[in-house]
Amino acid sequence: MNIELTRKQFRRLLDMAYIGNWVLNAMRGDDRLTDYDDVESLLFGMCAANGMESLCRHVTPGGCEPSRAFAEGGIHEAIMEYEDTVFFEILAEELARRDLEMEASDDAELLNERISAYIAEFERNGTDNISLEL
């Protein structure tokens, strides 16, 4: 299979492959999904031929991984922004569902209102106003 990409599109594809592989494998330890590592390696192996040598680090003959320059070039900030958003959205929904269970309600409109209220609070104050009674 051949895919023709502009230089900019190829660079975006590297970002997407890295992010996808990171999401799939970052927490897996030794139980990595190696098929995704292989695809990432294949794509990063094409960097030199496309004038992006600094983005690839050769680890074995024919095997490449993202270089430190790539990994430290802002991609993790994008991942962290996504994680923060997902964290607050999940937390807001879980807290809203807890509230409705305590009130013995299954009103979807009320659930959405509570979720929105929690998200607004998190946007204003982050987790500063969350406390637990232990």
Side-chain angles (χ1 to χ4, degrees), residues 21-124:
N21 195 29
W22 192 89
V23 167
L24 290 167
N25 279 318
M27 305 305 289
R28 298 186 68 85
D30 292 335
D31 191 28
R32 292 182 68 84
L33 302 170
T34 57
D35 287 351
Y36 293 94
D37 288 331
D38 295 344
V39 171
E40 181 186 74
S41 179
L42 176 71
L43 289 171
F44 276 86
M46 296 175 174
C47 285
N50 290 286
M52 300 179 193
E53 301 85 3
S54 66
L55 301 182
C56 174
R57 184 174 82 86
H58 295 278
V59 290
T60 61
C64 291
E65 64 181 24
S67 67
R68 174 171 278 165
F70 177 87
E72 293 176 356
I75 197 72
H76 281 277
E77 285 79 4
I79 292 169
M80 289 184 340
E81 184 177 327
Y82 169 78
E83 288 176 334
D84 284 348
T85 299
V86 169
F87 168 76
F88 285 116
E89 287 177 356
I90 291 171
L91 182 58
E93 183 171 349
E94 291 296 322
L95 291 172
R97 288 185 184 283
R98 179 214 52 195
D99 294 350
L100 293 187
E101 283 179 20
M102 291 171 61
E103 296 171 14
S105 175
D106 62 353
D107 183 339
E109 187 174 325
L110 183 56
L111 175 65
N112 288 330
E113 288 173 11
R114 290 280 172 90
I115 291 171
S116 295
Y118 278 118
I119 288 174
E121 168 62 25
F122 297 148
E123 286 174 350
R124 283 190 306 274

Side-chain angles (χ1 to χ4, degrees), residues 95 98 129-134:
L95 291 172
R98 179 214 52 195
N129 292 332
I130 294 176
S131 63
L132 300 172
E133 295 178 27
L134 301 174

